[in-house]
Short mmCIF file of all heavy atoms in Angstrom, two decimals:
data_model
loop_
_atom_site.label_atom_id
_atom_site.label_comp_id
_atom_site.label_asym_id
_atom_site.label_seq_id
_atom_site.Cartn_x
_atom_site.Cartn_y
_atom_site.Cartn_z
N PRO A 1 111.06 -136.86 211.46
CA PRO A 1 111.52 -137.17 212.74
C PRO A 1 111.47 -138.52 213.20
O PRO A 1 111.84 -138.87 214.43
CB PRO A 1 110.63 -136.18 213.65
CG PRO A 1 109.29 -136.18 213.02
CD PRO A 1 109.70 -136.17 211.49
N ILE A 2 110.98 -139.47 212.36
CA ILE A 2 111.01 -140.90 212.84
C ILE A 2 111.87 -141.59 211.89
O ILE A 2 112.19 -141.20 210.72
CB ILE A 2 109.59 -141.49 212.82
CG1 ILE A 2 108.94 -141.54 211.40
CG2 ILE A 2 108.67 -140.74 213.83
CD1 ILE A 2 107.54 -142.21 211.34
N PRO A 3 112.23 -142.92 212.19
CA PRO A 3 113.17 -143.65 211.37
C PRO A 3 112.47 -143.86 209.90
O PRO A 3 111.29 -144.28 209.86
CB PRO A 3 113.45 -144.98 212.05
CG PRO A 3 113.18 -144.55 213.48
CD PRO A 3 112.08 -143.58 213.47
N VAL A 4 113.31 -143.74 208.89
CA VAL A 4 112.76 -143.97 207.44
C VAL A 4 113.54 -145.30 206.97
O VAL A 4 114.72 -145.34 206.82
CB VAL A 4 113.01 -142.84 206.62
CG1 VAL A 4 112.61 -143.11 205.18
CG2 VAL A 4 112.29 -141.60 207.06
N LEU A 5 112.64 -146.19 206.54
CA LEU A 5 113.24 -147.47 205.91
C LEU A 5 112.81 -147.43 204.54
O LEU A 5 111.81 -146.80 204.16
CB LEU A 5 112.68 -148.72 206.63
CG LEU A 5 113.16 -149.24 207.96
CD1 LEU A 5 113.10 -148.16 208.91
CD2 LEU A 5 112.46 -150.43 208.35
N VAL A 6 113.68 -148.05 203.66
CA VAL A 6 113.20 -148.14 202.20
C VAL A 6 112.95 -149.61 201.81
O VAL A 6 113.50 -150.51 202.37
CB VAL A 6 114.29 -147.58 201.31
CG1 VAL A 6 114.40 -146.01 201.54
CG2 VAL A 6 115.62 -148.25 201.47
N ALA A 7 112.02 -149.77 200.87
CA ALA A 7 111.74 -151.04 200.28
C ALA A 7 112.93 -151.59 199.55
O ALA A 7 113.85 -150.83 199.02
CB ALA A 7 110.52 -150.94 199.47
N GLY A 8 112.95 -152.86 199.33
CA GLY A 8 114.02 -153.48 198.59
C GLY A 8 114.07 -153.22 197.06
O GLY A 8 115.08 -153.58 196.44
N GLY A 9 113.07 -152.64 196.60
CA GLY A 9 113.01 -152.39 195.16
C GLY A 9 112.55 -153.56 194.30
O GLY A 9 112.39 -154.70 194.86
N PRO A 10 112.23 -153.32 193.00
CA PRO A 10 111.73 -154.37 192.19
C PRO A 10 112.73 -155.51 192.00
O PRO A 10 113.96 -155.27 191.99
CB PRO A 10 111.35 -153.63 190.82
CG PRO A 10 112.30 -152.50 190.91
CD PRO A 10 112.41 -152.05 192.34
N ALA A 11 112.22 -156.71 191.59
CA ALA A 11 113.07 -157.90 191.40
C ALA A 11 114.02 -157.54 190.27
O ALA A 11 115.03 -158.23 190.14
CB ALA A 11 112.22 -159.08 191.19
N THR A 12 113.64 -156.66 189.30
CA THR A 12 114.53 -156.44 188.09
C THR A 12 115.31 -155.19 188.35
O THR A 12 115.87 -154.68 187.29
CB THR A 12 113.62 -156.37 186.86
OG1 THR A 12 112.71 -155.25 187.04
CG2 THR A 12 112.98 -157.63 186.63
N GLY A 13 115.36 -154.71 189.44
CA GLY A 13 115.94 -153.44 189.79
C GLY A 13 117.46 -153.37 190.09
O GLY A 13 118.00 -152.43 190.63
N GLY A 14 118.21 -154.40 189.65
CA GLY A 14 119.61 -154.44 189.90
C GLY A 14 119.94 -155.10 191.27
O GLY A 14 119.07 -155.71 191.91
N SER A 15 121.16 -154.99 191.78
CA SER A 15 121.62 -155.55 192.91
C SER A 15 120.99 -155.04 194.13
O SER A 15 120.98 -153.81 194.43
CB SER A 15 123.16 -155.46 193.04
OG SER A 15 123.59 -155.78 194.30
N VAL A 16 120.35 -155.97 194.94
CA VAL A 16 119.77 -155.52 196.20
C VAL A 16 120.79 -155.10 197.28
O VAL A 16 120.59 -154.29 198.13
CB VAL A 16 118.85 -156.64 196.80
CG1 VAL A 16 119.52 -157.83 197.20
CG2 VAL A 16 118.02 -155.96 197.94
N VAL A 17 122.00 -155.64 197.15
CA VAL A 17 123.15 -155.32 198.03
C VAL A 17 123.47 -153.92 197.74
O VAL A 17 123.69 -153.12 198.62
CB VAL A 17 124.28 -156.37 197.87
CG1 VAL A 17 125.46 -155.79 198.59
CG2 VAL A 17 123.89 -157.66 198.42
N ASP A 18 123.70 -153.61 196.40
CA ASP A 18 124.06 -152.16 196.12
C ASP A 18 123.03 -151.22 196.46
O ASP A 18 123.31 -150.09 197.00
CB ASP A 18 124.31 -152.01 194.55
CG ASP A 18 125.56 -152.82 194.15
OD1 ASP A 18 126.43 -153.11 194.99
OD2 ASP A 18 125.73 -153.05 192.91
N HIS A 19 121.68 -151.63 196.35
CA HIS A 19 120.60 -150.78 196.76
C HIS A 19 120.72 -150.54 198.27
O HIS A 19 120.44 -149.44 198.72
CB HIS A 19 119.24 -151.52 196.45
CG HIS A 19 117.99 -150.88 196.83
ND1 HIS A 19 117.43 -149.80 196.14
CD2 HIS A 19 117.17 -151.14 197.99
CE1 HIS A 19 116.38 -149.49 196.83
NE2 HIS A 19 116.17 -150.27 197.86
N ALA A 20 120.97 -151.61 199.02
CA ALA A 20 121.15 -151.46 200.47
C ALA A 20 122.20 -150.52 200.88
O ALA A 20 122.07 -149.62 201.79
CB ALA A 20 121.30 -152.78 201.09
N ARG A 21 123.36 -150.68 200.21
CA ARG A 21 124.48 -149.79 200.52
C ARG A 21 124.07 -148.32 200.23
O ARG A 21 124.50 -147.45 200.99
CB ARG A 21 125.69 -150.20 199.79
CG ARG A 21 126.35 -151.53 200.15
CD ARG A 21 127.62 -151.75 199.60
NE ARG A 21 128.24 -153.00 200.03
CZ ARG A 21 128.51 -154.06 199.30
NH1 ARG A 21 128.20 -154.10 198.01
NH2 ARG A 21 129.06 -155.21 199.76
N THR A 22 123.50 -148.17 199.11
CA THR A 22 123.07 -146.72 198.77
C THR A 22 122.16 -146.19 199.81
O THR A 22 122.30 -145.01 200.25
CB THR A 22 122.50 -146.73 197.38
OG1 THR A 22 123.38 -147.18 196.47
CG2 THR A 22 121.99 -145.30 196.97
N ALA A 23 121.15 -146.93 200.18
CA ALA A 23 120.17 -146.42 201.09
C ALA A 23 120.71 -146.10 202.49
O ALA A 23 120.41 -145.00 203.12
CB ALA A 23 119.07 -147.56 201.40
N MET A 24 121.67 -146.95 203.04
CA MET A 24 122.33 -146.57 204.24
C MET A 24 123.28 -145.49 204.11
O MET A 24 123.41 -144.62 205.04
CB MET A 24 123.02 -147.88 204.80
CG MET A 24 122.06 -149.01 205.00
SD MET A 24 120.65 -148.66 205.98
CE MET A 24 121.33 -148.22 207.66
N ALA A 25 123.85 -145.34 202.96
CA ALA A 25 124.85 -144.22 202.81
C ALA A 25 124.21 -142.84 202.83
O ALA A 25 124.87 -141.84 203.11
CB ALA A 25 125.60 -144.43 201.48
N VAL A 26 123.02 -142.84 202.37
CA VAL A 26 122.18 -141.57 202.31
C VAL A 26 121.55 -141.27 203.56
O VAL A 26 120.76 -140.29 203.65
CB VAL A 26 121.31 -141.43 201.09
CG1 VAL A 26 122.08 -141.53 199.80
CG2 VAL A 26 120.31 -142.47 201.09
N GLY A 27 121.65 -142.07 204.58
CA GLY A 27 121.05 -141.91 205.98
C GLY A 27 119.79 -142.59 206.26
O GLY A 27 119.22 -142.23 207.41
N CYS A 28 119.35 -143.54 205.57
CA CYS A 28 118.13 -144.28 205.94
C CYS A 28 118.43 -145.10 207.17
O CYS A 28 119.53 -145.40 207.53
CB CYS A 28 117.76 -145.33 204.82
SG CYS A 28 117.19 -144.39 203.26
N ALA A 29 117.36 -145.37 207.97
CA ALA A 29 117.56 -146.12 209.13
C ALA A 29 117.47 -147.61 208.86
O ALA A 29 117.66 -148.36 209.95
CB ALA A 29 116.45 -145.72 210.16
N GLY A 30 117.12 -148.07 207.73
CA GLY A 30 117.25 -149.47 207.51
C GLY A 30 116.48 -149.84 206.16
O GLY A 30 116.13 -148.94 205.39
N LEU A 31 116.20 -151.19 206.17
CA LEU A 31 115.59 -151.60 204.94
C LEU A 31 114.40 -152.59 205.30
O LEU A 31 114.38 -153.17 206.28
CB LEU A 31 116.56 -152.49 204.13
CG LEU A 31 117.91 -151.90 203.71
CD1 LEU A 31 118.82 -152.93 203.27
CD2 LEU A 31 117.75 -150.82 202.57
N ALA A 32 113.44 -152.68 204.32
CA ALA A 32 112.38 -153.76 204.47
C ALA A 32 112.44 -154.50 203.12
O ALA A 32 111.98 -153.99 202.07
CB ALA A 32 111.06 -153.07 204.64
N VAL A 33 113.03 -155.64 203.17
CA VAL A 33 113.31 -156.42 201.86
C VAL A 33 112.52 -157.77 201.99
O VAL A 33 112.83 -158.56 202.88
CB VAL A 33 114.81 -156.70 201.69
CG1 VAL A 33 115.01 -157.33 200.34
CG2 VAL A 33 115.50 -155.37 201.70
N GLY A 34 111.62 -158.00 201.17
CA GLY A 34 110.83 -159.23 201.14
C GLY A 34 111.09 -160.11 200.04
O GLY A 34 111.76 -161.10 200.12
N ARG A 35 110.57 -159.71 198.87
CA ARG A 35 110.62 -160.57 197.57
C ARG A 35 112.05 -160.86 197.32
O ARG A 35 112.31 -161.98 196.80
CB ARG A 35 109.82 -159.86 196.50
CG ARG A 35 109.65 -160.81 195.24
CD ARG A 35 108.99 -159.90 194.26
NE ARG A 35 107.82 -159.22 194.65
CZ ARG A 35 106.64 -159.69 194.77
NH1 ARG A 35 106.39 -160.96 194.45
NH2 ARG A 35 105.64 -158.96 195.15
N ARG A 36 112.96 -159.88 197.49
CA ARG A 36 114.29 -160.19 196.91
C ARG A 36 115.01 -161.21 197.93
O ARG A 36 115.93 -161.77 197.49
CB ARG A 36 115.09 -158.86 196.97
CG ARG A 36 114.56 -157.65 196.20
CD ARG A 36 114.60 -157.87 194.68
NE ARG A 36 115.88 -157.82 194.26
CZ ARG A 36 116.57 -156.71 193.81
NH1 ARG A 36 115.84 -155.49 193.88
NH2 ARG A 36 117.73 -156.82 193.30
N VAL A 37 114.39 -161.37 199.10
CA VAL A 37 114.97 -162.30 199.98
C VAL A 37 114.37 -163.76 199.73
O VAL A 37 115.16 -164.73 199.41
CB VAL A 37 114.64 -161.97 201.51
CG1 VAL A 37 114.95 -163.08 202.46
CG2 VAL A 37 115.54 -160.79 201.83
N PHE A 38 113.04 -163.75 199.69
CA PHE A 38 112.51 -165.10 199.60
C PHE A 38 112.60 -165.79 198.15
O PHE A 38 112.39 -166.94 197.95
CB PHE A 38 111.04 -165.26 200.07
CG PHE A 38 110.07 -164.51 199.33
CD1 PHE A 38 109.53 -164.83 198.12
CD2 PHE A 38 109.49 -163.31 199.97
CE1 PHE A 38 108.58 -164.07 197.46
CE2 PHE A 38 108.41 -162.59 199.35
CZ PHE A 38 107.98 -163.01 198.08
#
């Protein structure tokens, strides 16, 4: 019943953009992406 965010995934885990699109498409409320950003 509360918003679910997903982590950005491992640095070797493929495209973070594709990961983000997948997460939002399945209904996640957002992302928390750190290492893949910095």
